[in-house]
């Protein structure tokens, strides 16, 4: 039984994205080296990297590309990790945290490289915003900006009041 494709949720991504081609459901066997499940940012990036390394890759997406969280993330691009680099640092040490930080910086650069390489028509801007919900949170963000500047050499955190 083939699942019915769900309509794309309303989001900035869907409203501003280039229209996508809809493909028919897979109805025959397909042989490949790697099958990537999911057409979000991670799935697409994985499929692309593997393909560039010479693997035959099939990408399966139940709905449209970017249908899930990748199409609803607000499009904010900045270096860091989901846990927060401070948590990584406390758990694994500064040396390891700096390696992870550098990976996150390179991930942001990779997005720019891919946009140029594939001539992607988009209005990408680096950065994001996090709102302080209290004066103590504001102080925490100020300290984070100072710390990331001093320890990681990152000068792109700007505090707005």
């Amino acid at each position: 039984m083939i699942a019915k494709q769900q309509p794309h949720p309303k989001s900035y991504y869907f409203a501003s994205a280039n229209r996508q081609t809809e493909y028919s459901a897979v109805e025959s066997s397909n042989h490949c080296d790697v099958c990537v499940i999911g057409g979000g940012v991670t799935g697409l990036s994985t499929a692309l990297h593997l393909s560039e390394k010479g693997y035959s890759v099939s990408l399966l997406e139940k709905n449209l590309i970017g249908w899930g969280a990748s199409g609803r993330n607000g499009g904010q691009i900045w270096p860091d990790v989901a846990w927060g680099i401070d948590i990584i640092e406390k758990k694994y040490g500064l040396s390891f945290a700096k390696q992870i930080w550098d990976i996150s910086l390179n991930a942001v650069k990779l997005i720019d490289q891919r946009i140029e390489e594939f001539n992607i028509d988009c209005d990408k801007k680096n950065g994001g915003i996090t709102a302080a919900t209290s004066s103590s949170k504001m102080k925490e963000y100020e300290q984070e900006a100072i710390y990331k500047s001093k320890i990681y050499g990152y000068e792109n955190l700007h505090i707005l009041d």
Side-chain angles (χ1 to χ4, degrees):
M1 179 164 119
I2 297 173
K4 185 175 187 284
Q5 182 174 319
Q6 298 295 312
H8 205 290
K10 292 181 179 177
S11 66
Y12 172 77
Y13 166 78
F14 183 68
S16 63
N18 296 326
R19 292 300 115 207
Q20 300 178 26
T21 302
E22 292 190 33
Y23 297 95
S24 59
V26 175
E27 295 180 8
S28 62
S29 64
N30 184 11
H31 298 280
C32 60
D33 297 320
V34 179
C35 179
V36 176
I37 309 294
V41 171
T42 302
L44 292 170
S45 182
T46 300
L48 179 59
H49 283 282
L50 288 168
S51 175
E52 289 176 336
K53 294 206 178 289
Y55 293 93
S56 70
V57 180
S58 291
L59 184 133
L60 300 178
E61 169 56 54
K62 180 180 174 184
N63 295 294
L64 295 172
I65 298 297
W67 185 88
S70 292
R72 297 177 229 168
N73 72 358
Q76 300 184 81
I77 302 168
W78 71 74
D80 212 335
V81 292
W83 285 6
I85 201 65
D86 57 326
I87 302 297
I88 300 292
E89 187 179 321
K90 286 174 189 162
K91 187 164 180 141
Y92 300 104
L94 181 59
S95 177
F96 184 76
K98 283 186 173 183
Q99 290 175 40
I100 298 299
W101 181 258
D102 288 344
I103 290 170
S104 77
L105 288 172
N106 288 330
V108 172
K109 290 177 188 172
L110 179 61
I111 292 168
D112 290 328
Q113 291 168 356
R114 293 300 191 184
I115 289 169
E116 184 176 332
E117 178 182 359
F118 293 104
N119 196 28
I120 297 171
D121 180 20
C122 63
D123 61 352
K124 181 203 157 281
K125 295 170 185 60
N126 284 350
I129 189 166
T130 304
T133 55
S134 66
S135 58
S136 63
K137 196 67 172 172
M138 183 69 161
K139 199 160 279 301
E140 182 183 316
Y141 288 155
E142 290 167 347
Q143 291 168 348
E144 177 185 5
I146 292 166
Y147 186 78
K148 283 184 177 171
S149 172
K150 181 180 173 186
I151 302 301
Y152 293 90
Y154 189 67
E155 303 291 339
N156 291 329
L157 287 176
H158 306 284
I159 304 297
L160 307 173
D161 62 14

